[in-house]
Amino acid sequence: MDIFDRLRTAAAADWASYVEHDFVRQMGDGSLPEAAFRTYLVQDYLFLIQFARAYALATYKSRNLADMRAAKAGLSAILDLEMDLHVRLCERWGLSPEQLEAAPEHRATVAYTRFVLDCGQAGDLLDLHVALAPCVVGYAEIGTRLATGLGPALATHPYRDWIGEYAGEAYQQVARDARRHLDALAARAMTEARFSELAALFGQASRLEADFWQMGLETTAPAVG
């Protein structure tokens, strides 16, 4: 059991509220309203901008080149992989990258991203990567589960692009690398006495992920600039 599995087990209820959220279920069965997905996608673009800042902070917090390279890989995954997906999907609604970037942040977006950034500012590199882990690894888990459940039906599914992106090998490798790096950080900086604090941090990040899905369900149309 790696450190990620230990954290997920310790925060099992919070993790379930995130990965088994009704937004995820509806996306999987194709019943998610397009307006909810559009709201989520615009906010997730803004979310990724702040997460890019978190990986830049991880570079600053790093004390060796291996940690710096891991932070660089996370930053590249956001700027060169995830954000491109959002731009492609939002082009269907006539939304440009400039409009996405100018959209106002929802409270759920602010709450989650600033929580992660605060963990990084106030804590060390392990705190920051524990706060990042539910997002990075959780999306890989969700993507794989949905894609596996759909099987061949994924080819005609309304949310096939999103599911396929996070179930795809490129993103799965990002998640595997994130888990390995988290293990390496824990080997250097975690004591058993500290584990409960990290588990609480992981649980809070998972709850904020659930709130982010809920925001998509409750907000029918995004505001764009």
Side-chain angles (χ1 to χ4, degrees), residues 110-202:
V110 174
Y112 188 7
T113 58
R114 277 33 169 217
F115 168 77
V116 171
L117 286 166
D118 183 65
C119 286
Q121 291 280 7
D124 64 6
L125 199 57
L126 179 58
D127 290 310
L128 177 54
H129 280 281
V130 167
L132 289 164
C135 178
V136 179
V137 182
Y139 270 43
E141 179 179 311
I142 291 167
T144 297
R145 176 161 51 86
L146 294 182
T148 301
L150 287 165
L154 179 61
T156 56
H157 193 277
Y159 298 115
R160 60 186 176 275
D161 292 327
W162 191 97
I163 296 170
E165 184 82 18
Y166 290 105
E169 178 55 28
Y171 191 81
Q172 292 295 313
Q173 187 61 52
V174 168
R176 288 192 294 267
D177 290 343
R179 289 181 70 142
R180 280 195 291 268
H181 188 231
L182 192 63
D183 252 4
L185 291 172
R188 300 201 310 259
M190 193 191 80
T191 62
E192 289 307 307
R194 186 181 177 187
F195 178 77
S196 61
E197 297 177 2
L198 295 173
L201 191 159
F202 184 93

